[in-house]
Amino acid sequence: GAGVSQTPSNKVTEKGKYVELRCDPISGHTALYWYRQSLGQGPEFLIYFQGTGAADDSGLPNDRFFAVRPEGSVSTLKIQRTERGDSAVYLCASSATGQGYGNTIYFGEGSWLTVV
Amino acid sequence: AQTVTQSQPEMSVQEAETVTLSCTYDTSESDYYLFWYKQPPSRQMILVIRQEAYKQQNATENRFSVNFQKAAKSFSLKISDSQLGDAAMYFCAYSTSGTYKYIFGTGTRLKVLA
């Protein structure tokens, strides 16, 4: 696609529920990233995929968070047993490669998750 | 650990005037990249300008330019001839040598007054 597409745009869920957030990167981009942006803060790194594999998941806050990218394009961020502290905007981004000069990352518009 | 600090939570500028947004960072690396991203209400982070640390020349993109002071670890953004469409949150970001992990500051909200 022309840009990074994320769905849903907004999601309200009850505490304890399971949610999935989807990201469709720019066509041909091998690298995909998830960031989390809490209110009044800058984005914080969660996980990075190179192709189908998670090359770095060091930013995932705990084992309730999991992400997959089974075919190397679309990715899903999964959150189990949601807590109110999970409320944030979840930003997905992609880039042509994962490193090196000129590795500019392009962000989607994010999924705004509210846990009530 | 690398950190990025934006000390101005909010700034205002009159339309057509010039404004400077501040950013400082801390790192022990010698090779890194610095970025300014704009985030309008749509939430999409849009790259404004990028600076490679090994380049002494300040980056410029049309009305946007930076003042990169490597020794002082300072990276400010100057917006000339401000337009109403420039109103947004602006985030300063750092990455080591083009890697994937960006570290963002807390942002500066820019208001443009007509």
Side-chain angles (χ1 to χ4, degrees):
Chain A
V4 178
S5 176
Q6 293 189 245
T7 55
S9 179
N10 295 284
K11 173 74 175 178
V12 179
T13 191
E14 293 181 347
K15 180 176 176 294
K17 297 291 188 182
Y18 168 82
V19 297
E20 289 189 351
L21 307 176
R22 175 190 167 105
C23 173
D24 196 348
I26 293 172
S27 178
H29 279 192
T30 62
L32 185 144
Y33 320 81
W34 284 98
Y35 281 75
R36 179 168 71 173
Q37 186 176 16
S38 300
L39 192 63
Q41 301 296 316
E44 294 180 312
F45 170 80
L46 294 177
I47 188 169
Y48 156 58
F49 287 91
Q50 182 57 258
T52 60
D56 183 350
D57 64 358
S58 63
L60 294 178
N62 52 60
D63 61 5
R64 294 186 299 105
F65 289 75
F66 189 71
V68 296
R69 194 186 185 200
E71 297 179 357
S73 56
V74 171
S75 175
T76 304
L77 178 65
K78 307 180 180 191
I79 311 174
Q80 298 177 323
R81 304 183 303 281
T82 51
E83 300 177 357
R84 292 195 179 87
D86 298 335
S87 297
V89 175
Y90 290 82
L91 294 166
C92 179
S94 70
S95 66
T97 67
Q99 60 188 347
Y101 177 79
N103 181 46
T104 299
I105 63 175
Y106 300 89
F107 286 86
E109 294 188 352
S111 292
W112 191 346
L113 175 66
T114 303
V115 182
V116 297
Chain B
Q2 295 94 353
T3 59
V4 175
T5 301
Q6 294 179 251
S7 59
Q8 305 156 316
E10 189 170 296
M11 294 283 285
S12 295
V13 62
Q14 206 70 31
E15 195 176 6
E17 297 294 309
T18 295
V19 65
T20 298
L21 308 184
S22 300
C23 173
T24 59
Y25 59 95
D26 190 22
T27 183
S28 58
E29 302 285 340
S30 59
D31 189 14
Y32 52 87
Y33 291 77
L34 296 164
F35 308 83
W36 278 98
Y37 275 86
K38 171 185 177 182
Q39 188 177 43
S42 70
R43 300 195 303 250
Q44 185 176 22
M45 302 282 284
I46 301 166
L47 178 65
V48 174
I49 199 165
R50 179 179 67 194
Q51 175 81 43
E52 293 83 5
Y54 65 86
K55 289 187 177 180
Q56 292 188 336
Q57 186 173 5
N58 289 324
T60 299
E61 289 286 343
N62 301 313
R63 298 182 295 107
F64 300 87
S65 62
V66 298
N67 183 6
F68 175 47
Q69 302 289 330
K70 191 172 184 178
K73 296 180 181 175
S74 171
F75 183 61
S76 61
L77 174 70
K78 185 172 81 170
I79 306 173
S80 304
D81 186 25
S82 296
Q83 300 175 359
L84 295 177
D86 294 334
M89 286 291 292
Y90 285 81
F91 290 93
C92 180
Y94 162 101
S95 77
T96 304
S97 189
T99 60
Y100 49 84
K101 194 178 292 186
Y102 284 26
I103 299 169
F104 287 86
T106 53
T108 297
R109 180 174 301 281
L110 179 65
K111 295 184 176 181
V112 181
L113 308 173

